[in-house]
Amino acid sequence: MRRSMSAAATAVVLAGLVTAAGPAAAAGPACTPDILRLPALTDGPAPAGGAVRAFGTGGLVAGDSVGLPAYWTADHAVHAVPLPEGYVSGQVLAVNAKGLMVGTLRRAGDYQNSYGFTYQRGASQVRLIGGGATAGAVTDVNDAGRFVGMEGGVAKEWLNGAVVRELPVPSDAHPSTRIVSVDGINARGDIVGTARTSYEEDDMLRGKTFPVVWPAGGGYPPYSLRVWTEDDWTVQTSAAGIDDRGRVVGHEDLSHRDWQERKPAVWKKPYDALPNDPGRVKGYDHVTFDGLSPATNVAVGSAMTFVEGYANFLHAAYWPGTGAPLALPHPAGTGPDSRSSAFAASDDDRVGGTFYDWGTMKGGAVVWSCASKQAYAPQ
């Protein structure tokens, strides 16, 4: 599943740089706490940077490096996903147990649109959804080979490269509602996405953004998940993924000029209640959830504090499923101006994301192994 595929039963020990931190409450599997800074591709449109966005099996991780879709093998070697002619950047957003990767690409001179792709590890080329004729994104894939995303503004599910269903708007939604993203698929085939309602009433703009769950197989109607804010167009509540038990995580965003708020959200079956807010990382005002593990109740994302509308303080967040969210340490040797975010979590207690040190102007993709033993409450 997106940003959080299960890893191999035998975990690969990641050699890296360790930063001292207080332990989290969760014990986690037997492993060695480490922080691995992954190597970058040498060529790309960006001078530095990268992120881990998905875990595969056998030590495979995937994401992006220097603006290009990339993956790393168990020996930590970095590999570029081959780009079709005319495409210059992109990301791998998910990978399944068979090495099938999905993500988005961008064309030269067309940075407003993205184009969905699939790539089988070891192949000589990617496969563009719809032949690249229509903008879209492929955002997640499960081990059965079902992948989901958007094409031409339509939410879709594919199998073996063919569309098996279009994902409808819930029947109880306002007529103006449209699906704006498909955000995850679990092992069973349940799909989560995000819908937006927008209309004018009494000379005022009204609307809301809310997650939607489509049960596997299409035999049941989709669920409209409840949100805290029902009628404010400046507030968006988006899903980030769905785990194998049907739990959905995401966050509520309020963005109005310099005023910014981010609140983590967790929904559970039968999706008949408001989401749970697990709280904040100590010392930070806001938290987003941007990924989750398939079966161990872990959610990851970012803790932040805004200054004049900008996230001036940003720290990778880890939530074990109970209590308040915690922080993950920055790699050793980074300074006080370091920033980090987490996007992926595996069932063998690894977390993937990104870091950047403004002092040294260096950063890139990073993996925290034995993350539950590294997560801590800042003092």
Side-chain angles (χ1 to χ4, degrees):
M1 59 188 296
R2 183 185 181 189
R3 299 185 291 269
S4 54
M5 289 305 302
S6 299
T10 302
V12 177
V13 177
L14 298 175
L17 300 175
V18 183
T19 297
C31 55
T32 301
D34 282 302
I35 306 174
L36 174 67
R37 297 165 65 162
L38 292 169
L41 295 168
T42 56
D43 298 315
V52 170
R53 302 183 185 274
F55 287 102
T57 57
L60 180 71
V61 298
D64 53 271
S65 177
V66 292
L68 299 170
Y71 63 96
W72 293 263
T73 45
D75 60 358
H76 308 153
V78 61
H79 305 266
V81 171
L83 294 179
E85 185 177 356
Y87 292 82
V88 295
S89 63
Q91 300 173 325
V92 177
L93 296 176
V95 57
N96 72 5
K98 300 176 183 178
L100 179 62
M101 305 178 201
V102 302
T104 62
L105 299 177
R106 295 188 184 276
R107 291 173 174 166
D110 181 16
Y111 292 97
Q112 298 299 314
N113 296 306
S114 62
Y115 297 83
F117 77 91
T118 66
Y119 174 70
Q120 183 62 50
R121 178 184 172 186
S124 61
Q125 58 186 4
V126 304
R127 180 174 182 175
L128 292 166
I129 297 303
T134 307
V138 184
T139 47
D140 202 4
V141 60
N142 67 11
D143 287 349
R146 293 181 177 271
F147 53 94
V148 294
M150 302 287 294
E151 183 184 15
V154 179
K156 297 181 179 181
E157 177 187 4
W158 292 264
L159 178 64
N160 298 323
V163 177
V164 294
R165 63 168 166 159
E166 295 185 358
L167 305 172
V169 171
S171 60
D172 60 353
H174 187 274
S176 69
T177 303
R178 61 188 180 92
I179 306 302
V180 294
S181 67
V182 183
D183 308 300
I185 182 170
N186 64 13
R188 177 185 168 185
D190 302 317
I191 300 167
V192 68
T194 301
R196 180 176 298 152
T197 296
S198 180
Y199 59 98
E200 287 190 12
E201 184 178 85
D202 299 328
D203 295 325
M204 294 183 63
L205 182 62
R206 301 183 181 276
K208 67 175 181 177
T209 306
F210 60 97
V212 176
V213 170
W214 295 270
Y220 295 91
Y223 297 90
S224 297
L225 273 58
R226 295 179 61 187
V227 294
W228 294 300
T229 305
E230 289 282 346
D231 191 14
D232 186 343
W233 65 271
T234 66
V235 177
Q236 299 183 10
T237 307
S238 305
I242 184 168
D243 74 6
D244 291 346
R245 300 174 187 174
R247 185 186 64 155
V248 173
V249 304
H251 46 88
E252 180 188 81
D253 297 2
L254 186 156
S255 299
H256 186 65
R257 299 178 180 174
D258 286 346
W259 188 259
Q260 302 285 331
E261 294 181 11
R262 303 290 185 269
K263 182 189 298 186
V266 181
W267 296 261
K268 295 181 179 179
K269 284 183 165 183
Y271 309 127
D272 58 354
L274 288 170
N276 175 45
D277 176 2
R280 307 292 176 270
V281 175
K282 186 177 180 181
Y284 292 85
D285 297 331
H286 314 275
V287 168
T288 63
F289 283 161
D290 302 304
L292 76 174
S293 64
T296 55
N297 291 323
V298 170
V300 297
S302 299
M304 63 198 71
T305 295
F306 288 92
V307 178
E308 296 181 353
Y310 295 93
N312 278 20
F313 303 95
L314 191 66
H315 206 124
Y318 176 96
W319 185 56
T322 59
L326 303 167
L328 289 170
H330 291 148
T334 54
D337 290 330
S338 295
R339 307 287 186 266
S340 62
S341 293
F343 305 115
S346 72
D347 283 342
D348 67 357
D349 205 18
R350 289 180 295 163
V351 170
T354 185
F355 83 96
Y356 190 80
D357 185 348
W358 282 102
T360 61
M361 303 292 284
K362 293 181 179 180
V366 63
V367 173
W368 291 267
S369 63
C370 213
S372 66
K373 296 180 181 178
Q374 299 194 64
Y376 67 102
Q379 298 302 310

